[in-house]
Amino acid sequence: MSTATHGGPGLPQERRLVTEIPGPKSRELFSRKQSAVPSGVGTTLPVFITQAGGGVVVDVDGNSLIDFGSGIAVTSVGNAAPRVVERVQKQVADFTHTCFMVTPYESYVAVCEKLNALTPGDHEKRTFLVNSGAEAVENAVKVARNATGRQAVVVFDHGYHGRTLLTMTLTAKNMPYKHRFGPFAPEVYRAPLAYPFRWPTGPENCADEAAAQAIDMINKQIGAENVAAVVIEPIQGEGGFIEPAPGFLPKIVEFCKANGIVFIADEVQTGFARTGHLFACEYEGIVPDIIVTAKGIAGGLPLAAVTGRAELLDAVHGGGLGGTYGGNPLACEAALGVLETIEEEKLVERAAHIGEVMLSRLNAFKERFEIVGDVRGRGAMVAIELVLPGGKEPNAAATAEIARRCHVEGLLVLTAGTYGNVLRFLPPLVISDELLEEGLSILEKAIAAVA
């Protein structure tokens, strides 16, 4: 067992199994969890963590697991990153809360200034801060509706945008996100997504045909003049890391511009260097009217942001935006530490390198194993889609079994996808090449055992 008293990059960067996974102490704690927490709050891997940093998480039994999840793309700069810890420790000793809407503080303004400068586009921007990605998406829609005087919102197949009433409505997948939680919010419409692997006429036709179908649906079923906003993830997260066919997003943006529709990019999972760009929109030169960020923004503290064109956000009446905890000073200091870490440790470039390593290995798996139907993603946000051999029928059973085998060998992986057949990989951007390669070897062994 490690003798380190704290987490962070000083933890031994090694996979170390001293008990079965989960171990006896984790099993005891999980029993307590079942007695105290609703069963609706799920658990991917029931190991209870005491320390984390770099590319590992350490549990109560002393096991050190390789982390390919980053708390679902949250701890991109690593757990307990030194610049984040230092800023938060100083802030918590000064004050923990005043409510920015009552008596403001500089760190909130500093985070907004940074996001205005770093997000795509050189137009004048405004930013305000909230607590979660779902809250940010919901506020972005409020802004768009207010600015346009319209009500309809268009989203896409396989999309995920949150668990509040509106964002649950925006989300495509029924189970577990929407099942028996209706009725849902009105004036939300769903359009086809350019999903290359599953497009009926092939990936080469995907962008043009999907865009044409989406635009035709909007014009005929809603009327472009009634649409306040189009909301889309530049790479879908929970939907299975679906990377829209190149050319699809620019066509949707062009349509929005021509019809006065606010284009909202949901970069909750793709933002902050995750894809080998600071923001995934940059890959195709997309400049959203509003960009929504969360997850990786503050190194694990609850923070999210809505950044958009000044004329859109300034149109909202005084008091129409905000919330008691939005832009909490601890989270703001953490966000400033995250941005410093990304810049000083060149994590955009690091994410691109991680992508090269992972995609090379994963594409080799695709050549070797028939059940690997597709490999996709960018930077440190990549995935494989599992299918029944000989076709494209989703193989959720194999996906679950491969994940289980990875977990018991000390590799934390996540599943995703509308059909439950995607393994997604989100390692911390500070993970070492050695841990990255070791994790991929564990994955290869697990696939080989199931294929």
Side-chain angles (χ1 to χ4, degrees):
M1 180 181 284
S2 168
T3 58
T5 57
H6 298 291
L11 283 174
Q13 295 300 295
E14 61 183 13
R15 180 176 66 106
R16 182 180 63 251
L17 300 183
V18 297
T19 71
E20 70 276 25
I21 303 294
K25 292 181 180 178
S26 280
R27 293 197 300 271
E28 180 182 349
L29 284 167
F30 190 70
S31 177
R32 287 173 54 190
K33 181 257 187 192
Q34 290 177 303
S35 298
V37 181
S39 57
V41 180
T43 301
T44 297
L45 175 56
V47 296
F48 281 72
I49 303 304
T50 60
Q51 299 168 319
V56 299
V57 294
V58 180
D59 72 11
V60 290
D61 292 287
N63 300 297
S64 177
L65 286 70
I66 300 173
D67 183 8
F68 272 16
S70 298
I72 318 183
V74 168
T75 55
S76 296
V77 299
N79 250 297
R83 294 173 186 85
V84 173
V85 171
E86 182 180 354
R87 280 182 167 273
V88 171
Q89 285 179 334
K90 180 180 183 304
Q91 181 60 52
V92 78
D94 290 338
F95 64 94
T96 57
H97 177 74
T98 67
C99 185
F100 186 78
M101 298 182 301
V102 178
T103 52
Y105 35 88
E106 183 182 1
S107 57
Y108 185 116
V109 177
V111 171
C112 295
E113 289 172 337
K114 287 278 191 182
L115 291 175
N116 291 342
L118 292 172
T119 50
D122 56 7
H123 52 276
E124 188 176 1
K125 301 171 196 164
R126 299 287 187 268
T127 293
F128 67 99
L129 305 177
V130 291
N131 301 292
S132 71
E135 190 181 353
V137 171
E138 189 144 340
N139 272 279
V141 171
K142 283 169 52 179
V143 169
R145 284 174 165 167
N146 178 80
T148 62
R150 307 171 182 180
Q151 294 184 344
V153 180
V154 175
V155 289
F156 291 84
D157 287 339
H158 312 288
Y160 177 87
H161 300 286
R163 296 175 186 259
T164 62
L165 175 61
L166 177 59
T167 58
M168 184 170 52
T169 308
L170 301 178
T171 292
K173 189 175 181 180
N174 175 53
M175 182 62 80
Y177 306 118
K178 303 169 73 169
H179 186 62
R180 299 185 70 175
F181 292 145
F184 301 108
E187 290 297 318
V188 173
Y189 302 86
R190 198 168 313 283
L193 179 82
Y195 187 168
F197 180 63
R198 295 196 174 275
W199 196 254
T201 61
E204 66 278 6
N205 301 313
C206 185
D208 290 344
E209 291 181 1
Q213 288 183 21
I215 291 167
D216 184 64
M217 184 277 285
I218 293 169
N219 284 327
K220 289 180 177 176
Q221 297 184 28
I222 314 166
E225 69 276 11
N226 297 315
V227 178
V230 164
V231 185
I232 192 167
E233 303 156 275
I235 300 175
Q236 291 187 324
E238 299 291 323
F241 283 23
I242 302 167
E243 189 176 1
F248 175 78
L249 288 176
K251 291 177 188 299
I252 300 299
V253 170
E254 182 182 357
F255 174 77
C256 289
K257 285 182 179 178
N259 290 279
I261 299 168
V262 177
F263 182 86
I264 300 172
D266 178 347
E267 293 238 21
V268 167
Q269 194 158 164
T270 55
F272 300 100
R274 172 56 57 182
T275 64
H277 293 81
L278 195 56
F279 300 99
C281 282
E282 297 175 61
Y283 180 72
E284 290 192 276
I286 300 298
V287 178
D289 297 307
I290 297 176
I291 185 169
V292 172
T293 52
K295 287 192 183 290
I297 191 173
L301 275 74
L303 188 69
V306 180
T307 303
R309 296 184 181 276
E311 63 270 24
L312 296 177
L313 274 79
D314 281 343
V316 178
H317 52 275
L321 303 173
T324 301
Y325 291 107
N328 172 273
L330 304 180
C332 287
E333 289 293 344
L336 294 171
V338 164
L339 292 171
E340 289 171 357
T341 302
I342 290 172
E343 180 179 1
E344 292 175 19
E345 299 188 17
K346 295 182 168 50
L347 294 186
V348 173
E349 295 85 349
R350 178 65 188 164
H353 169 75
I354 289 171
E356 291 172 2
V357 172
M358 296 196 80
L359 288 171
S360 175
R361 290 284 301 272
L362 295 176
N363 277 307
F365 299 169
K366 182 183 175 185
E367 292 297 316
R368 181 180 168 194
F369 304 113
E370 274 194 278
I371 66 170
V372 180
D374 195 29
V375 174
R376 54 182 180 252
R378 294 201 300 269
M381 182 177 179
V382 297
I384 56 174
E385 181 165 353
L386 283 298
V387 297
L388 295 177
K392 293 187 177 182
E393 184 72 21
N395 196 340
T399 306
E401 178 59 16
I402 291 167
R404 187 195 69 79
R405 287 175 177 269
C406 287
H407 292 162
V408 299
E409 292 296 325
L411 173 65
L412 174 57
V413 297
L414 306 173
T415 59
T418 299
Y419 312 108
N421 68 323
V422 174
L423 284 166
R424 55 175 163 165
F425 310 112
L426 294 158
L429 305 183
V430 295
I431 193 172
S432 68
D433 281 0
E434 292 76 17
L435 281 178
L436 188 64
E437 293 282 7
E438 185 178 359
L440 289 166
S441 295
I442 293 169
L443 174 65
E444 181 178 16
K445 181 181 175 183
I447 296 172
V450 174

